[in-house]
Amino acid sequence: MILFDFSAVMHQAIFAAVKMKHPRKENGKFITADFIDLVKYIILEKIFDVQNNFPNYKNFTICLDYTHKGNWRSKVYSNYKSSRKKSRSESEINYTEVFGELNKFIDFLKFHSPYRVVSVMSAEADDVILCLAQEFAHAEPVLIISSDKDMIQAQTFGDVKQYSLLTKKFITCETKNCPNIQTWLIEHVILGDVCDEVPRVVDEVEFSPEFKAWLNQRGTNVTPRTFYTIEDKTREALISQFEQAMSDQTEIFKKPRFGITTLRKKVKEFGSLDAWLDSDPILRDHFNRNRKLVLAEGIPGEIRKAILDEFSKAPIDADFKEFKTWMYDNHLGNLILDIPESITKTFKTNFFDF
């Protein structure tokens, strides 16, 4: 089985296409039509390359984010990936148009290609990958195509390997300078993930002196432990008012220097990881929060079930003639000769049949 992180590759393809095509602008946004065909080309080329380079893996599955209406992780930590929506709205790329075009591309792959396409509302591609790897790794070899280090944990499920299209290398805990997966996972949970805006467990433990004083002046009764449990609009209003009062020069929370070396020193100093985490209730709270955000065990049962259901009913019937015609219609004809042999076998038709 190949589990292909389509969402990550899609974003890489968008940036690459814009850089290569130098599209025109209209009202401050790049004209989508100038580069969208190249985005599709890059994505499909990568799909074909993976199949050609790893022919022994079957059951190619495209794994997608479905979070534009909400992400289940935001209920665990409301600040999760919170800045992405803003950065996209401010981008020169018209993401509304781009995603609209790519949704048509995805729909074609879903209903007219030999690939399973799996997405579940409020879940990320990571969730799809982890759930399917955990379900099938005992029965067949699994290859995850993703550069996301969170996927390393899937290697504990059985015969699972992870390959990065960015580095052209396999990813293991050893490539992340850690002796074993379990140690790496625990350290990853504690140190968080900047890309996904998962904080370190030591972050957001203590308010900055300025914010604490400002809250006291207002008579606002909120603590670091309750800050992310109050209503989003209330919290955002507090942050906005504080930043205006301080001219954006002061942070809400203290930011301690804390990395892998400090973590290992703390564990040694307290005698165990649990002893250190239990030295402050908020550290334990943050650790449990991060486990839910980062580890497969945190994926809700209803999400897991929905992913397996979507996989089981995903259509894989396709017509080779229709597939090739679609490629020509979308200016992807140059990729015809790169179509993997596994696809032509799946279609059960001669390559030159039309």
Side-chain angles (χ1 to χ4, degrees):
M1 173 180 286
I2 294 178
L3 300 175
F4 186 85
D5 188 348
F6 186 98
S7 295
V9 171
M10 175 184 71
H11 288 293
Q12 293 162 13
I14 291 169
F15 294 132
V18 168
K19 186 175 181 180
M20 293 168 67
K21 296 294 285 187
H22 303 291
R24 295 165 295 164
K25 282 186 181 180
E26 189 174 89
N27 298 323
K29 299 284 186 180
F30 293 126
I31 296 176
T32 302
D34 284 359
F35 65 91
I36 194 64
D37 285 343
L38 182 56
V39 175
K40 298 175 192 175
Y41 185 99
I42 292 171
I43 294 171
L44 199 58
E45 181 182 45
K46 289 185 181 297
I47 289 174
F48 289 172
D49 283 347
V50 167
Q51 288 186 284
N52 284 321
N53 291 329
F54 301 101
N56 295 328
Y57 289 92
K58 312 303 179 185
N59 298 321
F60 194 102
T61 303
I62 291 172
C63 306
L64 289 162
D65 289 341
Y66 190 170
T67 55
H68 59 282
K69 294 183 179 180
N71 188 324
W72 70 264
R73 285 178 174 82
S74 297
K75 296 179 181 178
V76 177
Y77 178 59
S78 60
N79 221 30
Y80 182 77
K81 293 186 177 179
S82 61
S83 66
R84 294 195 178 186
K85 186 175 182 179
K86 180 181 178 182
S87 63
R88 285 177 186 169
S89 66
E90 295 175 350
S91 172
E92 294 174 305
I93 297 169
N94 189 330
Y95 278 101
T96 300
E97 286 187 1
V98 170
F99 289 159
E101 289 296 318
L102 290 179
N103 282 338
K104 298 175 188 176
F105 175 37
I106 291 167
D107 281 344
F108 180 84
L109 294 177
K110 185 173 185 177
F111 296 108
H112 303 285
S113 83
Y115 307 125
R116 285 185 174 86
V117 177
V118 180
S119 63
V120 166
M121 186 175 290
S122 85
E124 301 179 47
D126 291 4
D127 298 316
V128 177
I129 291 170
L130 289 172
C131 287
L132 293 179
Q134 192 165 22
E135 180 72 14
F136 293 102
H138 67 282
E140 62 180 296
V142 174
L143 177 64
I144 295 172
I145 304 298
S146 173
S147 301
D148 190 338
K149 59 182 181 294
D150 286 351
M151 298 300 100
I152 291 176
Q153 62 186 291
Q155 294 173 39
T156 64
F157 301 153
D159 187 359
V160 179
K161 292 183 173 60
Q162 180 181 350
Y163 185 79
S164 169
L165 293 177
L166 290 176
T167 64
K168 308 296 184 185
K169 294 179 181 179
F170 286 96
I171 298 176
T172 66
C173 61
E174 288 82 8
T175 64
K176 300 297 180 181
N177 300 313
C178 199
N180 61 75
I181 290 180
Q182 293 303 330
T183 299
W184 182 86
L185 282 175
I186 293 298
E187 292 179 346
H188 179 47
V189 167
I190 291 172
L191 297 176
D193 190 330
V194 175
C195 293
D196 290 342
E197 296 180 73
V198 176
R200 304 170 300 175
V201 299
V202 298
D203 291 333
E204 302 172 356
V205 169
E206 185 178 358
F207 287 142
S208 67
E210 294 82 3
F211 188 60
K212 192 182 299 184
W214 185 79
L215 287 175
N216 289 336
Q217 289 174 2
R218 293 171 55 88
T220 303
N221 185 23
V222 62
T223 69
R225 201 172 185 183
T226 62
F227 188 69
Y228 282 105
T229 63
I230 60 178
E231 187 180 43
D232 288 352
K233 290 183 178 179
T234 302
R235 185 179 59 256
E236 289 168 4
L238 280 174
I239 294 172
S240 177
Q241 292 165 18
F242 173 69
E243 288 179 344
Q244 289 177 14
M246 297 295 174
S247 302
D248 298 334
Q249 297 299 311
T250 306
E251 299 288 345
I252 302 292
F253 290 95
K254 285 185 177 180
K255 289 191 175 180
R257 294 182 62 183
F258 192 92
I260 190 66
T261 301
T262 307
L263 168 60
R264 292 171 180 173
K265 285 181 179 178
K266 286 292 183 183
V267 172
K268 186 176 181 179
E269 176 188 343
F270 281 83
S272 70
L273 175 64
D274 283 332
W276 173 63
L277 290 173
D278 290 334
S279 67
D280 185 337
I282 201 168
L283 290 178
R284 177 63 71 176
D285 287 348
H286 287 180
F287 179 73
N288 291 336
R289 175 203 64 200
N290 282 13
R291 286 183 70 96
K292 292 178 183 178
L293 294 174
V294 171
L295 300 185
E297 67 187 44
I299 300 172
E302 63 273 19
I303 296 288
R304 188 180 299 274
K305 182 180 183 301
I307 288 169
L308 296 179
D309 287 346
E310 283 295 306
F311 177 84
S312 66
K313 68 183 183 183
I316 54 173
D317 296 329
D319 179 87
F320 194 25
K321 178 181 177 181
E322 183 180 42
F323 190 78
K324 290 171 69 175
T325 300
W326 174 85
M327 288 180 66
Y328 280 120
D329 289 346
N330 284 268
H331 311 105
L332 303 171
N334 289 344
L335 286 174
I336 291 291
L337 295 178
D338 294 326
I339 294 178
E341 184 180 357
S342 57
I343 287 187
T344 58
K345 287 181 178 179
T346 301
F347 281 124
K348 297 179 181 179
T349 186
N350 184 279
F351 178 83
F352 292 103
D353 281 350
F354 281 88

